[in-house]
């Protein structure tokens, strides 16, 4: 080993010892808290997200508006007029699946402001 490699090895050992000492200093209740958080609380919150996603899906004009905003903001979703500006098409959640690199999501154009 060279001096630089020896120095790097010593620094890694020092960091490992410091981290091990820091972990050993923690109260045992912290270990149970972290386990309970990751094995109980967080999965329960994820189940709530799944429930609400299934119970209240985004569809129709609201989904179309989200796609319009995304196209305006990000510019990577193509928004095309479906029929004509007088007959907006309802967009279902199944229409919302876009494979990476694909374009051509068809949504109704945004309604014109009343003052136009």
């Amino acid at each position: 080993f060279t001096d630089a490699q020896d120095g790097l090895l010593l620094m890694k050992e020092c960091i490992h010892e410091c981290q091990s000492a820091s972990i050993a200093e923690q109260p045992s209740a912290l270990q149970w808290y972290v386990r309970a958080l990751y094995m109980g609380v967080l999965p329960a919150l994820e189940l709530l997200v799944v429930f609400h996603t299934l119970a209240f899906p985004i569809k129709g004009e609201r989904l179309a508006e989200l796609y319009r905003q995304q196209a305006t903001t990000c510019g990577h979703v193509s928004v095309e007029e479906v029929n004509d500006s007088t007959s907006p098409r309802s967009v279902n959640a199944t229409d919302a699946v876009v494979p990476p690199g694909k374009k051509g999501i068809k949504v109704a154009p945004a309604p014109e402001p009343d003052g136009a």
Side-chain angles (χ1 to χ4, degrees):
F1 289 113
T2 65
D3 289 338
Q5 289 174 330
D6 287 340
L8 184 61
L9 185 60
L10 286 174
M11 186 169 62
K12 285 183 179 181
E13 288 177 12
C14 180
I15 290 172
H16 178 71
E17 288 177 20
C18 182
Q19 289 175 340
S20 297
S22 177
I23 291 170
E25 292 174 2
Q26 301 300 321
S28 62
L30 178 65
Q31 178 181 2
W32 292 108
Y33 170 77
V34 171
R35 283 186 181 177
L37 189 67
Y38 279 97
M39 294 173 30
V41 175
L42 293 177
L45 292 175
E46 290 291 332
L47 287 174
L48 283 173
V49 169
V50 168
F51 169 75
H52 286 94
T53 301
L54 293 174
F56 307 104
I58 300 174
K59 54 187 173 182
E61 183 57 34
R62 195 166 163 210
L63 181 61
E65 180 61 28
L66 287 172
Y67 271 112
R68 276 190 221 97
Q69 289 175 3
Q70 182 179 5
T72 302
T73 305
C74 302
H76 67 275
V77 176
S78 155
V79 178
E80 298 173 356
E81 190 172 326
V82 174
N83 294 319
D84 61 10
S85 61
T86 60
S87 59
R89 172 176 149 319
S90 176
V91 178
N92 294 321
T94 54
D95 297 331
V97 178
V98 182
K102 298 291 181 179
K103 293 187 177 188
I105 298 278
K106 296 181 186 257
V107 296
E112 294 294 324
D114 292 333

